[in-house]
Amino acid sequence: QVQLVESGGGLVQAGGSLRLSCLPSGSIFRFTSMGWYRQAPGKQRELVATITSGGRTNYADSVKDRFTISRDNAKNTWYLQMNSLKPEDTAVYYCNAVVRFVDNYWGQGTRVTVSS
């Protein structure tokens, strides 16, 4: 079993920045990919960004050039740096880890609110 703990959410003005962190139980090297998803009120959960064990990244079009996903093996943590935040980025953000390409694990979510 894998537990994921997110941190770093909060309230920020439009144009501001936040960095989310995800700390897993156990080693980060277990995961074939790691990522961030978000769910806005009344909407389905959607992919924000992913990073594979080999370092390949993927982003939703809506966040390209504004958000950056990264991992720090020494700290056993991955991050989502969010810059130039917009009100439409307001959502609960969930970190995700995949083991053996099929087993998905989720954090409890951290709320990000961007005011206009």
Side-chain angles (χ1 to χ4, degrees):
Q1 190 72 318
V2 175
Q3 292 183 325
L4 306 176
V5 179
E6 301 107 333
S7 59
L11 173 64
V12 64
Q13 288 188 330
S17 298
L18 283 174
R19 188 177 78 160
L20 306 182
S21 302
C22 185
L23 178 66
S25 61
S27 173
I28 196 173
F29 293 105
R30 292 183 59 186
F31 307 133
T32 49
S33 70
M34 294 142 281
W36 293 93
Y37 290 70
R38 68 186 181 187
Q39 187 166 16
K43 296 187 176 181
Q44 291 187 329
R45 189 173 298 188
E46 63 177 4
L47 178 148
V48 176
T50 60
I51 184 167
T52 68
S53 57
R56 182 177 298 177
T57 58
N58 180 54
Y59 296 92
D61 288 342
S62 60
V63 306
K64 279 181 182 176
D65 300 323
R66 298 189 298 123
F67 291 9
T68 302
I69 188 170
S70 63
R71 56 186 287 181
D72 187 329
N73 294 337
K75 294 184 178 180
N76 205 53
T77 301
W78 64 96
Y79 305 95
L80 184 69
Q81 178 66 44
M82 305 185 293
N83 299 328
S84 302
L85 282 160
K86 304 175 180 180
E88 52 263 44
D89 295 318
T90 295
V92 177
Y93 285 70
Y94 298 89
C95 68
N96 167 266
V98 180
V99 177
R100 293 187 299 271
F101 297 99
V102 295
D103 296 329
N104 273 270
Y105 297 92
W106 297 92
Q108 81 285 356
T110 185
R111 186 173 300 276
V112 172
T113 303
V114 185
S115 63
S116 57

